[in-house]
Amino acid sequence: GCAQKYIVKNYFYYYLFKFSAALGEEIFYITFLPFTYWNIDHSVSRRMIIIWSIVMYIGQVSKDILKWPRPLSPPVVKLEMRTDAEYGMPSTHAMAATAISFSFLTATTNQYKYPFELGLVAAFVFSMLVCLSRLYTGMHTVLDVIGGALISAVLLMLLYPAWDMIDHLLLTSPFCPLLSIVVPLVLCYNYPKLDYYSPTRGDTTTILGAGAGATVGFWLNNQYAAPAYTGENLQLGIPLITSKIVVVVLARFFVGIFVVLLTRQLMKSVVLGVLGYRYKFPIGDLEARRRLEVEVPYKFITYSSVGFSATVIVPLLHKLLGLM
């Protein structure tokens, strides 16, 4: 459990790949996905979030079914310790990077005018940096990374023909809010059991919870605010990048992130307080928070609130502040 000592000989690679590794973690998801929704295109964001949720669930479950160990240390030097408790195959960092970058490319290609080759290079570089970071940090083997990227690519190809149908159902079906909550909860409570605690179940619950809250928000917005938000999104393109738009984009982002982080902190405190009272444990008891009856509702309610806040509360606040 102790960090291995090492000497950094090339700080450029060290910071590049440490940063790249963060592009496959919560800090990136909680900023980039909402940013896309608030400032670029609602339909693109919806597709990315749904693809991300499906791909990550399959990746997390695959890890705990296959149970392939991470690289041995030594000989590798591991620069991360938290994820060392998880299994290795497939790399969910590689899966998420591939899914997000190429779903963004695919979703925007037919809607906006920009050089496809440039978008393809950007998607490839983004996913490649994240994949290489998993090798550099010693968290995955080459096979883990290749397997994750390939699984994600196959899932994208299988889901792409159904994108429009899924999006339409999520926006219009009267059963969408119920199914968006019930199905992820069932999946979380029936997650594969391990002989020891692993953060994969908690991470999976976080992802499915955020996706569930966002999906309910999509449905509510379409029903009661503006159908599919047509015509209200910023258009990509160099001629439109003006100082005024930059100010609006940054204002939307910082207001939104403040609300999202505030929601996360408040819901964590409230839900943990209620569960602590129900199951008789102090909030700081880490072992109690890892129990199924605590971890799943705690993380699901917290992050579904985050997803709902990002898609419903924040746009309403943007409108009140004149940022729409």
Side-chain angles (χ1 to χ4, degrees), residues 3 9 37 58 71 74 78 99 103 130 132 170 188 226 231 286 290:
K9 295 183 177 180
Y37 188 77
I58 292 175
K78 293 186 177 181
S103 63
V130 175
L132 290 176
L170 290 178
C188 292
L286 183 60
R290 290 175 170 179

Side-chain angles (χ1 to χ4, degrees), residues 32-33 35-37 40-41 44-45 47-49 51 97-112 114 119 122-123 126 156 163 236:
F32 178 72
L33 294 177
F35 178 88
T36 304
Y37 188 77
I40 298 180
D41 190 293
V44 171
S45 180
R47 285 163 170 78
M48 289 174 62
I49 290 173
I51 292 293
T98 303
I100 288 176
S101 58
F102 284 94
S103 63
F104 182 84
L105 172 66
T106 306
T108 56
T109 296
N110 296 326
Q111 297 190 43
Y112 302 104
Y114 67 89
F126 177 88
L156 277 172
W163 270 21
L236 295 176

Side-chain angles (χ1 to χ4, degrees), residues 118 152 156 170 197 205 265 306 320:
L118 179 62
S152 189
L156 277 172
L170 290 178
Y197 177 78
T205 305
Q265 190 59 43
V306 167
L320 288 174

Side-chain angles (χ1 to χ4, degrees), residues 204-322:
T204 304
T205 305
T206 294
I207 293 164
L208 293 183
T215 302
V216 172
F218 298 152
W219 185 86
L220 282 174
N221 286 334
N222 188 67
Q223 299 297 317
Y224 301 106
Y229 286 91
T230 54
E232 292 188 8
N233 305 305
L234 291 177
Q235 301 292 311
L236 295 176
I238 300 299
L240 293 180
I241 299 178
T242 64
S243 58
K244 181 179 179 180
I245 285 185
V246 170
V247 170
V248 171
V249 165
L250 291 176
R252 286 182 182 178
F253 176 72
F254 286 114
V255 168
I257 287 299
F258 174 78
V259 173
V260 164
L261 295 179
L262 181 63
T263 300
R264 184 179 67 168
Q265 190 59 43
L266 288 176
M267 293 307 297
K268 274 186 176 181
S269 301
V270 171
V271 176
L272 273 179
V274 172
L275 291 172
Y277 176 80
R278 169 67 177 82
Y279 294 106
K280 311 300 181 186
F281 67 88
I283 293 179
D285 188 342
L286 183 60
E287 289 301 317
R289 288 163 58 173
R290 290 175 170 179
R291 287 154 42 188
L292 175 67
E293 65 271 20
V294 175
E295 184 176 60
V296 170
Y298 150 54
K299 294 205 168 182
F300 191 88
I301 294 173
T302 297
Y303 284 91
S304 61
S305 300
V306 167
F308 183 83
S309 175
T311 54
V312 176
I313 306 301
V314 171
L316 288 176
L317 186 57
H318 285 164
K319 190 172 183 179
L320 288 174
L321 295 175

